[in-house]
Amino acid sequence: MTERTAVAIVGAGPAGLLLSHLLDRAGIASIVIESRSREEVETTIRAGILEQGTVEILRETGASDRVTTTGSRHDGIELRFEGEGHRIDFAASVGRGVWLYPQHEVLKDLIAARTAAGQDLRFGVRAVAVEDAETERPRVIATGPDGERIEIEADVVVGSDGSRGVTRETVTGSHGGFYREYPFAWFGVLCEAPPSAEELIYSNSPDGFALISQRSATVQRMYFQCDPDEDPERFSERELWDILQARVPGTTLNEGPIFQRDVLRFRSFVAHRLRRGRVVLVGDAAHTVPPTGAKGMNLAVADVVLLADALRALLHERDERLLDAYPERALARIWKAQHFSWWMTSMLHVAPDASDFDRRRQVGELRSVVESEHGRAYLAEAYTGWPLAR
Ligand code: DHB
């Protein structure tokens, strides 16, 4: 049996869920399928920083109040190098801020809101193919929790199924994308201890990068640069603390039991095409960024804001111009975010083959940022997020 809907959304991450929410507000029906279980989606630990525009969308459209009641506003970060901290004051530089609110909490809020609104949202359903992309009736072929075949025909299929999903290949064919690898990864830990500082610390040290972030008044999230093939179980807790402490010279970390550790590999990637006929990519299906600067989920939200407008025009007014313009409009921001994420990463990490020249140049670069009103303002503007197209 073939089911029918206006928009078939593959993937219930932030992009897919927010899109179904914005479409519903515009009176457009959708079906969202997700291969993982609800529990897995709601508990997988991801990044924690939301741009001001992301927060405004979540609040103004009724997707989440908790983002500002439970989350906390941050008006700056610290860049630390050569044993000294330098504050980048977002409020003073650009009059904007960010919110610390973990991505899995955003997902819980979105799933609760969609469920309460009666959204057709199906977990444990794995897309296996997208067919007829170049017709007005594209179809998603999927497998249900009991192995049953599911076929959904729609006006538009949206691929929000992440960097390992099946929709990307439908859109790009054999063309793949533009990408860049990095010779390091992040070792992430969660520990039971209050934040070591009021704001996040991004630290460059001779031993490599570390980021001291937070989750709550009692839990810290921290990362340090490691080898991409590092074994997360190789270090004792004491060794992890010694590594972290050594990478934030001049400051003292609050220590406590480490209850989670993971190695996060990353790369920069942008698909060669974001649309083929009536199949469109958003979020990590279209692009991934290295984590430094926390652009990943925020970029997905920016794609979705553009696409929701385009789908409204297409499905309510039969006007295809915004859909035609979607790739170019989305890519303008995607490449700015790619640049910012690459820049933060390369400025703060130490490449395994870095020479003395490279090290000294890097400190020069950091000084050019923190000692310049304009340098600080560029960082603040990009970090808090460029305005959304609304
Ligand atoms: C976090 C992750 C990031 O990549 C970042 O730039 C800031 C914070 C986090 O997980 O808290």
Side-chain angles (χ1 to χ4, degrees):
M1 190 193 76
T2 303
E3 303 175 72
R4 247 214 78 73
T5 188
V7 182
I9 300 174
V10 182
L17 289 165
L18 180 64
L19 181 64
S20 75
H21 178 70
L22 298 181
L23 291 176
D24 187 12
R25 285 170 53 87
I28 297 168
S30 65
I31 297 176
V32 184
I33 62 170
E34 167 60 53
S35 60
R36 294 167 296 165
S37 68
R38 176 171 179 172
E39 189 189 341
E40 194 182 341
V41 172
E42 290 187 339
T43 53
T44 304
I45 306 288
R46 310 252 167 163
I49 290 288
L50 306 184
E51 293 176 1
Q52 181 160 325
T54 299
V55 171
E56 284 165 4
I57 284 279
L58 292 172
R59 277 195 58 97
E60 287 166 18
T61 65
S64 169
D65 291 326
R66 287 173 67 238
V67 60
T68 49
T69 56
T70 313
S72 55
R73 188 184 160 99
H74 283 233
D75 280 326
I77 56 168
E78 179 178 288
L79 288 189
R80 175 164 285 274
F81 55 95
E82 303 227 295
E84 272 178 54
H86 305 262
R87 182 164 190 251
I88 308 290
D89 183 334
F90 301 153
S93 273
V94 292
R96 293 167 72 78
V98 295
W99 292 80
L100 185 87
Y101 186 64
Q103 180 170 324
H104 68 270
E105 297 293 336
V106 175
L107 288 166
K108 280 192 216 165
D109 295 347
L110 281 167
I111 290 169
R114 295 317 304 133
T115 305
Q119 171 71 42
D120 188 338
L121 166 56
R122 305 180 200 173
F123 293 95
V125 175
R126 180 180 300 278
V128 291
V130 179
E131 296 180 350
D132 299 333
E134 258 141 332
T135 72
E136 295 198 344
R137 293 274 176 277
R139 276 178 307 134
V140 178
I141 315 297
T143 310
D146 302 315
E148 71 276 23
R149 180 186 162 96
I150 296 173
E151 208 174 297
I152 305 167
E153 187 184 272
D155 295 300
V156 177
V157 172
V158 176
S160 50
D161 49 346
S163 54
R164 292 183 203 89
V166 303
T167 58
R168 180 195 286 164
E169 212 184 305
T170 303
V171 171
T172 60
S174 56
H175 297 293
F178 306 95
Y179 70 95
R180 181 197 159 97
E181 311 277 353
Y182 296 85
F184 34 72
W186 278 12
F187 196 112
V189 304
L190 278 166
C191 80
E192 277 165 47
S196 299
E198 271 180 37
E199 295 176 337
L200 272 54
I201 303 172
Y202 288 80
S203 182
N204 168 277
S205 80
D207 292 344
F209 169 73
L211 167 59
I212 311 303
S213 182
Q214 331 168 348
R215 280 296 174 267
S216 68
T218 54
V219 173
Q220 289 189 105
R221 177 67 163 153
M222 291 166 298
Y223 305 91
F224 64 86
Q225 171 186 344
C226 69
D227 187 279
D229 295 318
E230 188 60 89
D231 168 12
E233 302 309 324
R234 183 162 79 93
F235 301 107
S236 68
E237 277 195 39
R238 187 65 252 149
E239 286 169 327
L240 289 175
W241 284 113
D242 290 344
I243 293 170
L244 281 160
Q245 287 284 358
R247 291 187 185 199
V248 287
T251 197
T252 307
L253 299 176
N254 288 336
E255 299 187 7
I258 289 174
F259 61 89
Q260 211 216 278
R261 42 172 88 194
D262 44 14
V263 171
L264 286 86
R265 292 162 161 255
F266 49 80
R267 64 177 189 160
S268 301
F269 175 87
V270 180
H272 280 146
R273 302 176 64 172
L274 302 191
R275 173 189 175 199
R276 181 165 152 229
R278 289 290 187 93
V279 184
V280 192
L281 302 178
V282 290
D284 279 4
H287 44 73
T288 58
V289 289
T292 332
K295 280 282 161 269
M297 165 172 163
N298 294 294
L299 202 49
V301 168
D303 292 347
V304 163
V305 167
L306 283 177
L307 185 61
D309 266 344
L311 295 181
R312 261 194 299 268
L314 177 76
L315 299 171
H316 284 327
E317 291 145 37
R318 297 277 135 205
D319 181 349
E320 264 194 65
R321 283 173 299 179
L322 283 180
L323 188 58
D324 288 341
Y326 167 76
E328 195 182 330
R329 294 180 77 198
L331 282 165
R333 187 188 189 96
I334 290 164
W335 280 110
K336 283 164 75 172
Q338 285 292 353
H339 170 69
F340 177 69
S341 304
W342 166 86
W343 175 66
M344 287 285 279
T345 302
S346 62
M347 178 168 67
L348 288 160
H349 292 66
V350 178
D353 61 352
S355 65
D356 279 352
F357 175 88
D358 297 333
R359 288 284 309 135
R360 283 162 205 253
R361 184 207 60 76
Q362 199 174 38
V363 172
E365 184 177 12
L366 283 157
R367 285 206 186 288
S368 338
V369 175
V370 303
E371 293 174 4
S372 154
E373 184 189 324
H374 307 287
R376 293 192 300 269
Y378 166 68
L379 197 156
E381 184 177 44
Y383 195 101
T384 57
W386 305 284
L388 289 169
R390 294 168 71 194

